[in-house]
Amino acid sequence: MGKKLAIGLVAVVLLGIAGYFGVRAVGERSARAEVERAFEEIRRRGATARFAEASVDPAARAIVLTGIEVGAADAGATVRIGRLTATGAQPPRDNYAEAEALDLEGVEITLTGSAAFGGTLVYAIPKVMIDRYRGPVVPVAAPAGEAGPFGAARFALRQFAATSAAKITIPAMTLRHQPAAAGAVPIEATYEGIAAEQVAAGKVRSLLIDKLAFSGPDEVPARDGLGGAAPAGGARQAGELSGIVAARIDTAPFLAVLAGAAPGAAPDDYQAIYGKVVTGPYKVRHHDGSTAGADSLLLEHVGIKPSAIALDRLLELDALSRKGPDLSVAELGELVEETRRIIDGLAFRTFSMTGLTAASADEKLRIAAVRLDGFAAGVLDTFELEGLDGTDADKRAVKAGQLVVRRLDLKALADLARDADAPTPVGLLGLFKVVSGIEASAIEVPYDGENGSAPGQALRIGALTLGWGSVLGELPTTVRFEMKDVSGPISAADGEPFVYLANAGITSATMSTALNIAYDPASGDLQIGPLGARLEKAFSVSLDTSIGNVPKEAFADAAAAFGALGDITARPLKLKVENLGLVELMLQQLAEAAGVTPDEIRNDLAAQVDEIAAVLAQVNPDVVAVADAVKGFLAAPRTLTIQATPKPDTPLLPLFLADAPFGALSAFSLSATAGP
């Protein structure tokens, strides 16, 4: 109990709870006696408490105390105040005291043991100024039997909830946490220009901090060849954050987390802890010389579910995570489940950062903006990155105009983590639930080609869209994939068709692809297409078709999809090929290799088409018309269109299981045209 009283006085000092010193006398002797009685009450409850001098000014209704020192019986917490001045104090009423102003000078708070997370934590505050405070005369009583490493924090939050002040000003404050482990790097922080306004009932209307400077252990590993790296185990990082403004702060949810939910308690709703947080520039420098920073940060409408982020759960999660690779299968499952619950307990409307930078001796990176919108129940509506520009370790450009991720489900991602070491094909279907879409534009990344055939080159993507939706069970009913203007170096080693382009002296190529799939539950048709690809200076190909009689149950899982194949029927198919220069390159290069003319190669190919058509025409006479169109395309290679129309209610599965390779031809009516 002594430690709690000392921590309670910490809250008294910092938050304006000066009820111990209500002015009820007019002389210094009686004032000292009054203060002695208050300090005796603290000592009676198990703590140590003393002061040097007490004086009073009845006209100003002011009292001054010097040399204050209060400590827990076990020396786990100590508060020292050089001078405390209360002006305009009112006599206590209903166990509460009020004052127009409360000034504290030379404040030092020392915590050790569990109250300081192990080790020693020291706060040094040269001056605190509090306007129009109201607070309890004695510390707010804690529930019977409350203990544990966060008992003091719970006690301080209860004191804070019972306190009000118009404004609290702290010009400067420093803290230093020295871990108990031998040789551990201490954590140090310095705050400048702290001002809190309208403090009441555990809430703060606004909080301003001009600057926060910090230093502590650095987890970034040292890099060989970089000067100034700190010794192993003693690596430090340092940084600062300025222009911090927070609005509509509520500490009640934090107290609910530390207090813990009662066994069997019903899940609660999200409770707001911040209305808005805005900061100016942030920067940090690691021990190896690398740096990181941002121009600004914005966080809006942050809330938590106290029952989901219970103290016991946090402690258990911390204990499991510290085991690392030593986790058993059962412990890994428990870790994933606890992570899911905590993720479910966090929510915010917007989190964004602008002007992000990172730099080391070898790499540089700048991102114009990162924005996360709509996070609740473990699901993020949108992640958006804009204006990435940097270099890799070889000083090659890495760029991205925009990257967007739609509906990222972190709880589904945690489920996939269960079998991350040995994922199954069926388990990978869970990826459809992790995200619903990805978009990117103006991407540039280093690309060395096949087996290093194009060193120092770049791969560029004009635009990429990948998305799916309307998931029925494990499988989506709509899929869209589109990639435009993908360009990069090519060589003969890339194989066909790139070998013909490379042999013609073309060193780079640009390609676009697309795939669209959409299911109509009413008709049972699954539309496939347009599906296509376009290689500039080579060719363009597109396919448009569908399959019918697809039951909704086919999307439940992989087994159901396979089981439905026997009922699925074929639908009309249209294939279109457009020559963009590849046919001429192939004819020319084949002719040169054979020592003949391109027309001779063209005639040989036409003869081969006739031979194949003569065989296939025995299965389907329509093949003759298709062969004529193919020969017309060879003669004037522009566009070739082939259409296949299945006979009514043609089952799809037997077409793939036919014994003869071309047995499926009998199930379709064929037509083809060659034209411009």
Side-chain angles (χ1 to χ4, degrees), residues 436-464:
S436 66
I438 299 173
E439 301 168 17
S441 64
I443 306 296
E444 179 179 334
V445 294
Y447 176 71
D448 292 329
E450 190 72 21
N451 300 319
S453 59
Q457 300 297 310
L459 176 67
R460 296 177 175 86
I461 301 175
L464 181 148

Side-chain angles (χ1 to χ4, degrees), residues 73-130:
D74 62 358
T78 303
V79 180
R80 295 182 178 87
I81 305 172
R83 181 184 180 89
L84 184 151
T85 303
T87 305
Q90 299 289 337
R93 291 181 298 177
D94 300 326
N95 292 321
Y96 274 81
E98 300 179 9
E100 293 178 2
L102 180 67
D103 295 327
L104 302 94
E105 301 176 20
V107 179
E108 183 180 285
I109 306 163
T110 303
L111 308 177
T112 59
S114 61
F117 307 98
T120 303
L121 177 61
V122 179
Y123 293 85
I125 311 171
K127 190 174 184 63
V128 180
M129 296 171 285
I130 305 173

Side-chain angles (χ1 to χ4, degrees), residues 62 99 119 228-229 238 248 350 364 516 583 670:
R248 301 188 302 280
T350 303
K364 291 184 178 180
N516 290 276
V583 174
L670 304 175

Side-chain angles (χ1 to χ4, degrees), residues 472-623:
L472 297 177
E474 298 291 337
L475 301 174
T477 61
T478 61
V479 176
R480 182 191 178 199
F481 171 71
E482 187 173 6
M483 192 159 55
K484 294 182 178 180
D485 299 331
V486 181
S487 63
I490 61 171
S491 69
D494 294 325
E496 296 186 1
F498 301 103
V499 61
Y500 298 105
L501 299 176
N503 289 341
I506 299 174
T507 59
S508 65
T510 299
M511 189 172 186
S512 300
T513 60
L515 167 65
N516 290 276
I517 298 176
Y519 175 66
D520 183 357
S523 65
D525 286 353
L526 181 67
Q527 181 69 33
I528 303 173
L531 181 158
R534 180 184 181 91
L535 182 61
E536 299 297 338
K537 301 180 182 179
F539 68 90
S540 171
V541 58
S542 65
L543 173 68
D544 202 347
T545 186
S546 64
I547 56 178
N549 201 32
V550 181
K552 290 186 291 185
E553 292 75 18
F555 297 91
D557 52 39
F562 183 79
L565 289 177
D567 300 324
I568 294 174
T569 56
R571 290 286 189 266
L573 176 150
K574 181 178 180 180
L575 176 68
K576 183 177 180 180
V577 179
E578 182 182 359
N579 173 49
L580 302 177
L582 180 62
V583 174
E584 290 84 357
L585 291 177
M586 293 176 64
L587 292 173
Q588 181 67 36
Q589 292 176 29
L590 290 172
E592 291 176 355
V596 297
T597 66
D599 284 340
E600 290 177 285
I601 294 295
R602 184 181 285 109
N603 293 334
D604 287 344
L605 291 174
Q608 294 178 31
V609 170
D610 284 335
E611 292 176 3
I612 296 173
V615 175
L616 297 181
Q618 301 177 30
V619 179
N620 188 334
D622 294 345
V623 171

Side-chain angles (χ1 to χ4, degrees), residues 64-76:
V64 178
L65 300 181
T66 61
I68 302 170
E69 183 173 333
V70 179
D74 62 358

Side-chain angles (χ1 to χ4, degrees), residues 230-295:
R236 295 181 64 86
Q237 63 173 320
E240 64 179 46
L241 177 63
S242 60
I244 306 168
V245 180
R248 301 188 302 280
I249 303 170
D250 191 349
T251 63
F254 293 117
L255 179 57
V257 168
L258 296 180
D268 48 352
D269 293 329
Y270 290 107
Q271 300 179 26
I273 56 175
Y274 295 108
K276 189 173 185 177
V277 178
V278 180
T279 78
Y282 159 81
K283 56 185 178 182
V284 61
R285 183 178 184 85
H286 298 285
H287 69 274
D288 63 356
S290 61
T291 61
D295 292 340

Side-chain angles (χ1 to χ4, degrees), residues 134-145:
R134 182 178 184 273
V137 174
V138 295
V140 176

